[in-house]
């Protein structure tokens, strides 16, 4: 018994010595600019990065001095750092108070009995917020304001069709440069001026009642828009889980394949939908029926190609009601915190459609117009011509290119912008929320670094703001492309985060140049 006690005390002592030794090996923060520069350079030039490309720029917002740079004018794939540009454009051109309007159009107002003769058109302009996620997971609650707009107009019955009009945006339902299979996944949801529930449906797969039985499939919200082809099987307890989904492009059938063990808690995934405007109208008709509004006609949807042959003559249609989105400053948060691709591309297309005044016969898409407006904005922001080559807004395109120099120039401009608070507050906070909630934990960066992440297979980026240990405000852009980590415990994200942590720990100050 005495021997066991001594052994136990020895193990405790060994553990304490190990902890103290690890603490002793921790490198104290840099206290001079030269020391910080040396440490950053040493990190970037490790042999393991020989085949990769680093781009870094760090500037003091307080003094304007460049603290560090590594190939700052080299092109990199920014991935979702592209959202920094699109959100800045939207806030600059529209303002933080701006709301996106969805209109109800009819040829006449309803008669005294509440009958609307003819069609009722729901005309979308890219509001992303009509979804269950923001409304207690209830799609009918999300549609309630639009239903109220109908009933407030005195409409009790529609004799014609219920028409979903997504023609405000010109162009295909996917961004330029997307991979062909991106629309298969939640992050590649189709772009539509009439968006519903983030243009995707949640599918839950649960094991069946016994082995060899098909798994149970549940759609949320329930709908008849998608058809599920169940190719799954339930296997014995402790078996391997393996579930996959496949929806052929532009088809409504989702093939669910694979297996779940009998004791599995279930698997959940979001599946994108074809023709979101059509799904919008299907949900909207259900919501109207719940409030006693009858529709005698059929459901239809029309896009920009349909309107080329059958234009919506504004002189013949009356706006009988409308709803508006959250303010743009809130949309910025919904984009940046979770890195929401669809919302970003909707904002770019909306700015393009509003600012460009595209003629009906023009072949320029709303996305093209948005990119052209982005070019004008970046020139005003002081970004060098040619330093940004984008073809879509979210960063899902592998063809988007920018430089750390351009990104830092944009961040500097937005730090002085009238919408600076909205822009900065929308960014993820290290160790706290959004895509940074699990990163840089237990470091000086927690609650300090506000930055946009970016991740594709061979592209990683982190750009934003940090306050040093000495209280100096810094702006930074860190991009790492074409890196394959030899260590499974140190990803490209970990290597990038190390740079941000060094900046947060920096105890020195820079002088005004």
């Amino acid at each position: 018994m005495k021997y066991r006690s001594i052994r136990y005390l020895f193990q405790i002592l060994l553990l304490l010595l190990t902890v103290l030794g690890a603490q002793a090996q921790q490198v104290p923060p840099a206290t001079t600019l030269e020391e910080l520069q040396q440490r950053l350079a040493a990190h970037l030039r490790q042999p393991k990065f020989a085949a990769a490309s680093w781009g870094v720029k760090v500037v003091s917002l307080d003094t304007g001095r460049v603290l560090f740079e590594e190939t700052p004018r080299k092109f990199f794939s920014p991935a979702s750092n592209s959202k920094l540009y699109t959100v800045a454009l939207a806030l600059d051109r529209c303002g933080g108070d701006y709301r996106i309007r969805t209109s109800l159009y009819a040829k006449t107002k309803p008669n005294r009995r509440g009958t609307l003769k003819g069609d009722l058109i729901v005309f979308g302009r890219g509001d992303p917020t009509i979804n269950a996620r923001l409304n207690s997971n209830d799609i009918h609650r999300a549609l309630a304001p639009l239903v109220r707009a109908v009933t407030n107009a005195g409409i009790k019955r529609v004799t014609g069709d219920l028409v979903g009009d997504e023609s405000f945006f010109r162009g295909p339902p996917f961004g330029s440069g997307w991979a062909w299979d991106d629309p298969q996944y939640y992050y590649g949801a189709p772009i539509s001026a009439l968006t519903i529930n983030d243009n995707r449906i949640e599918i839950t797969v649960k094991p069946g009642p016994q082995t060899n039985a098909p798994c149970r499939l549940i759609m949320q919200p329930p709908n008849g828009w998608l058809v599920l082809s169940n190719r799954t099987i339930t296997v014995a307890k402790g078996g391997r889980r393996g579930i996959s989904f496949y929806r052929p492009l532009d088809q409504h059938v989702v093939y669910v394949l694979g297996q779940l063990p009998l004791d599995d808690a279930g698997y959940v995934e979001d599946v994108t939908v074809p023709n979101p405007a059509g799904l919008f109208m299907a949900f909207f008709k259900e919501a109207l029926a719940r409030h006693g509004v009858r529709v005698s006609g059929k459901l239809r949807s029309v896009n920009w190609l349909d309107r080329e042959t059958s234009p919506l003559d504004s002189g013949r249609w009356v706006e009988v009601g409308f709803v508006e989105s959250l303010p743009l400053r809130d949309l910025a948060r919904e984009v940046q915190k979770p890195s929401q691709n669809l919302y970003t591309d909707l904002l770019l297309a909306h700015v393009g459609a509003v600012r460009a005044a595209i003629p009906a016969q023009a072949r320029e898409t709303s996305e093209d117009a948005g990119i052209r407006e982005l070019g004008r904005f970046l020139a005003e922001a002081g970004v060098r011509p040619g330093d940004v080559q984008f073809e879509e807004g979210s960063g899902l395109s592998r063809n988007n290119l920018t430089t750390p120099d351009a990104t830092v120039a944009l961040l500097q401009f937005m730090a002085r912008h009238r919408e600076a608070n909205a822009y900065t507050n929308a960014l993820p906070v290290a160790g706290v929320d959004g895509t940074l909630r699990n990163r840089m934990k237990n470091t000086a960066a927690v609650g300090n670094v506000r930055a946009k992440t970016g991740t594709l297979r061979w592209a990683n980026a982190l750009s934003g703001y940090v306050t040093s240990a000495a209280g100096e405000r810094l702006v930074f852009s860190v991009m790492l492309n074409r890196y394959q980590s030899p260590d499974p415990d140190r990803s490209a994200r970990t290597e990038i985060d190390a740079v941000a942590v060094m900046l947060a720990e920096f105890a020195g100050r820079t002088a005004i140049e």
Side-chain angles (χ1 to χ4, degrees):
M1 191 71 177
K2 183 178 179 181
Y3 171 77
R4 289 183 180 178
S5 299
I6 293 173
R7 184 180 179 186
Y8 176 74
L9 288 172
F10 178 76
Q11 289 174 338
I12 293 294
L13 179 60
L14 183 62
L15 178 61
L16 287 172
L17 289 173
T18 302
V19 171
L20 290 172
Q23 290 177 344
Q25 291 176 2
Q26 287 181 353
V27 179
T31 57
T32 67
L33 180 56
E34 182 181 11
E35 189 179 6
L36 175 67
Q37 291 169 341
Q38 290 172 349
R39 292 187 184 182
L40 289 171
H43 178 66
L44 305 186
R45 291 163 194 169
Q46 295 178 71
K48 62 184 176 182
F49 299 123
S53 297
W54 275 106
V56 181
K57 185 161 185 175
V58 184
V59 175
S60 170
L61 280 176
D62 295 334
T63 68
R65 184 171 182 180
V66 177
L67 278 68
F68 182 84
E69 56 185 5
E70 177 84 9
T71 59
R73 294 202 61 194
K74 187 174 181 178
F75 272 137
F76 290 86
S77 173
S80 282
N81 265 207
S82 301
K83 294 177 174 69
L84 288 168
Y85 291 79
T86 305
V87 170
L89 169 69
L91 285 170
D92 181 84
R93 293 313 197 230
C94 301
D97 292 326
Y98 185 81
R99 296 173 185 261
I100 299 173
R101 187 171 182 134
T102 301
S103 298
L104 295 166
Y105 289 128
K107 286 188 175 178
T108 62
K109 292 185 177 181
N111 60 26
R112 287 179 296 178
R113 294 190 298 274
T115 299
L116 180 70
K117 295 184 177 180
D119 298 339
L120 177 63
I121 296 176
V122 182
F123 188 85
R125 296 181 179 87
D127 178 1
T129 58
I130 304 175
N131 61 60
R133 181 176 55 83
L134 296 175
N135 290 274
S136 303
N137 291 320
D138 185 346
I139 195 62
H140 294 105
R141 180 175 173 178
L143 287 163
L146 195 60
V147 173
R148 282 196 297 273
V150 172
T151 57
N152 288 344
I155 300 172
K156 299 178 180 178
R157 180 181 169 225
V158 178
T159 65
D161 295 343
L162 203 54
V163 183
D165 193 322
E166 60 176 359
S167 65
F168 188 69
F169 292 169
R170 296 174 59 84
F174 43 81
S176 297
W178 288 10
W180 73 269
D181 57 343
D182 283 336
Q184 286 286 319
Y185 303 99
Y186 71 92
Y187 54 78
I191 303 164
S192 171
L194 199 57
T195 280
I196 185 77
N197 205 51
D198 299 347
N199 296 341
R200 56 201 196 195
I201 295 295
E202 180 185 276
I203 299 179
T204 300
V205 185
K206 288 185 173 291
Q210 59 192 26
T211 57
N212 297 321
C215 297
R216 292 181 293 131
L217 307 180
I218 305 161
M219 285 196 289
Q220 183 62 36
N223 68 92
W225 195 248
L226 292 179
V227 176
L228 302 182
S229 177
N230 194 344
R231 309 292 181 92
T232 63
I233 190 171
T234 304
V235 297
K237 291 181 179 180
R240 182 181 61 85
R241 171 203 273 194
I243 294 292
S244 62
F245 297 83
Y246 171 59
R247 181 179 66 79
L249 293 177
D250 293 330
Q251 293 191 24
H252 293 253
V253 178
V254 178
Y255 297 90
V256 188
L257 308 100
Q259 64 182 39
L260 283 183
L262 193 60
D263 56 346
D264 197 285
Y267 180 85
V268 181
E269 188 160 318
D270 286 337
V271 175
T272 60
V273 299
N275 186 14
L279 178 62
F280 190 112
M281 302 318 292
F283 280 135
F284 188 44
K285 185 177 181 181
E286 289 178 7
L288 289 173
R290 289 186 173 201
H291 289 79
V293 179
R294 293 178 296 150
V295 178
S296 300
K298 59 186 179 181
L299 300 178
R300 291 190 291 122
S301 62
V302 295
N303 60 27
W304 61 286
L305 292 171
D306 300 319
R307 287 302 180 202
E308 283 193 343
T309 57
S310 179
L312 184 64
D313 185 351
S314 58
R316 295 176 53 210
W317 293 88
V318 178
E319 186 181 57
V320 296
F322 66 88
V323 295
E324 293 183 318
S325 71
L326 295 171
L328 187 51
R329 64 173 54 88
D330 293 328
L331 295 185
R333 181 193 64 238
E334 293 299 319
V335 166
Q336 300 284 53
K337 294 286 188 184
S339 198
Q340 227 286 358
N341 289 341
L342 173 63
Y343 293 13
T344 322
D345 286 310
L346 291 175
L347 287 180
L348 181 71
H350 183 85
V351 171
V354 169
R355 300 283 300 190
I358 305 169
Q361 282 72 38
R363 288 297 173 262
E364 184 180 54
T365 67
S366 300
E367 180 187 70
D368 292 336
I371 292 295
R372 191 155 45 79
E373 192 67 22
L374 177 64
R376 295 193 189 101
F377 165 66
L378 292 178
E380 297 165 12
V383 175
R384 287 189 185 94
D387 273 13
V388 178
Q389 301 293 328
F390 282 7
E391 58 181 21
E392 55 89 58
S394 66
L396 189 53
S397 170
R398 283 70 172 171
N399 298 327
N400 278 10
L401 295 173
T402 190
T403 67
D405 190 76
T407 305
V408 164
L410 172 70
L411 291 166
Q412 287 177 289
F413 178 79
M414 291 307 295
R416 304 184 300 268
H417 197 274
R418 66 183 182 279
E419 296 293 346
N421 286 338
Y423 188 72
T424 305
N425 291 338
L427 295 172
V429 181
V432 175
D433 63 16
T435 52
L436 285 179
R437 64 187 176 277
N438 295 318
R439 291 172 60 172
M440 294 175 265
K441 291 280 193 180
N442 303 313
T443 71
V446 172
N448 181 358
V449 168
R450 290 180 176 268
K452 183 69 198 76
T453 55
T455 307
L456 287 173
R457 184 176 183 184
W458 299 115
N460 285 270
L462 185 70
S463 302
Y465 306 96
V466 59
T467 300
S468 72
E472 187 169 6
R473 297 177 304 149
L474 309 177
V475 57
F476 67 91
S477 179
V478 184
M479 297 184 182
L480 176 58
N481 284 186
R482 305 292 190 267
Y483 176 61
Q484 177 64 51
S485 175
D487 183 351
D489 294 326
R490 286 192 68 86
S491 65
R493 293 178 181 179
T494 306
E495 305 295 356
I496 284 177
D497 289 352
V499 175
V501 171
M502 277 190 259
L503 298 179
E505 292 176 340
F506 178 46
R509 293 189 68 89
T510 64
I512 298 176
E513 290 186 322

